[in-house]
Amino acid sequence: MRQSIIIGVLLFFCLTLQSCFVKTSPNMSFVNKEDLTNDTEVASIRVPMFLTKAFLKGKIKELNEDDAIAALAFRKIKKLKIMTISGEGKGNLMKKFNTYLKKNNFEEMMSLYSDGSKITINTEMKKDHVKRILLGIADEEDYVFVDIKADLDLNELSRMIEYYENKNDKSKSNTLVEN
């Protein structure tokens, strides 16, 4: 009896971890394997949050002391999916991504360029809460998509932005004073 319980628990644990494995097929609905050519490489992973939170628990405790706002953001994350696509046959993937965003009522929060890469931050809202954040990062060689399910209040989000803006302003003024 005890042996069958242990086997059952191990089997359940293995089934929950199977989603952690890196897969070579897309894990986001705006990408179909048929749309990509054979020389296109896809790597996708869905990270279960019970595993992530257990792994980051110590880091969150450290952040509580140093950066309470980042720790709050980590606690609000419920699900995380990452997909990278590289190679020549990416085709019109960014067009499909933008169509998906419009179809699912995502709002573009921010778009910026960094080191030749275009980064878009898109949010799905329900009332005054951010339910999903979808990041799209495109450069010449690779596309990276990050899908984060969370439950962030807009007031919390504005406090986070204000905190980091103030922190950045203080570091700039300290640098000017030292020079």
Side-chain angles (χ1 to χ4, degrees):
M1 178 69 176
R2 183 174 183 222
Q3 192 174 27
S4 60
I5 291 173
I6 292 172
I7 290 172
V9 168
L10 287 175
L11 183 62
F12 176 75
F13 187 70
C14 288
L15 287 174
T16 57
L17 288 181
Q18 68 87 20
S19 64
C20 296
F21 298 124
V22 176
K23 297 177 181 156
T24 57
S25 60
N27 67 349
M28 296 187 190
S29 60
F30 60 88
V31 180
N32 293 323
K33 187 73 170 173
E34 296 82 34
D35 296 336
L36 304 172
T37 62
N38 289 337
D39 61 337
T40 305
E41 294 178 28
V42 177
S44 59
I45 186 169
R46 184 185 146 284
V47 183
M49 287 318 295
F50 78 90
L51 213 95
T52 305
K53 288 189 180 192
F55 182 72
L56 293 175
K57 198 171 196 172
K59 188 66 175 170
I60 289 173
K61 285 181 183 176
E62 288 176 26
L63 283 174
N64 267 335
E65 297 168 4
D66 299 335
D67 196 348
I69 300 296
L72 173 69
F74 271 127
R75 276 192 220 100
K76 297 289 185 168
I77 295 174
K78 294 181 179 178
K79 194 177 200 179
L80 179 67
K81 291 193 300 188
I82 303 169
M83 179 176 63
T84 62
I85 299 175
S86 59
E88 296 297 319
K90 294 183 294 267
N92 58 353
L93 190 58
M94 288 310 286
K95 186 177 179 181
K96 286 187 173 195
F97 176 66
N98 290 325
T99 303
Y100 174 81
L101 294 174
K102 288 177 188 171
K103 180 181 168 187
N104 291 294
N105 299 321
F106 277 84
E107 297 176 23
E108 185 172 309
M109 189 174 229
M110 187 184 314
S111 182
L112 53 109
Y113 291 91
S114 175
D115 297 328
S117 299
K118 180 181 180 186
I119 303 166
T120 61
I121 302 171
N122 308 282
T123 59
E124 180 183 47
M125 305 286 294
K126 285 191 181 174
K127 295 185 182 177
D128 61 341
H129 287 266
V130 176
K131 292 297 183 180
R132 281 178 68 192
I133 302 169
L134 193 55
L135 303 173
I137 305 163
D139 63 18
E140 293 174 5
E141 297 110 29
D142 302 318
Y143 291 160
V144 178
F145 301 99
V146 180
D147 186 359
I148 303 168
K149 287 191 180 179
D151 189 16
L152 280 171
D153 186 352
L154 282 180
N155 295 327
E156 293 171 342
L157 190 60
S158 66
R159 278 190 295 161
M160 286 181 205
I161 292 168
E162 185 178 312
Y163 172 80
Y164 286 112
E165 284 177 346
N166 290 339
K167 189 175 181 179
N168 194 20
D169 289 342
K170 286 180 184 177
S171 67
K172 284 182 182 178
S173 64
N174 287 343
T175 306
L176 293 174
V177 170
E178 290 174 2
N179 292 330

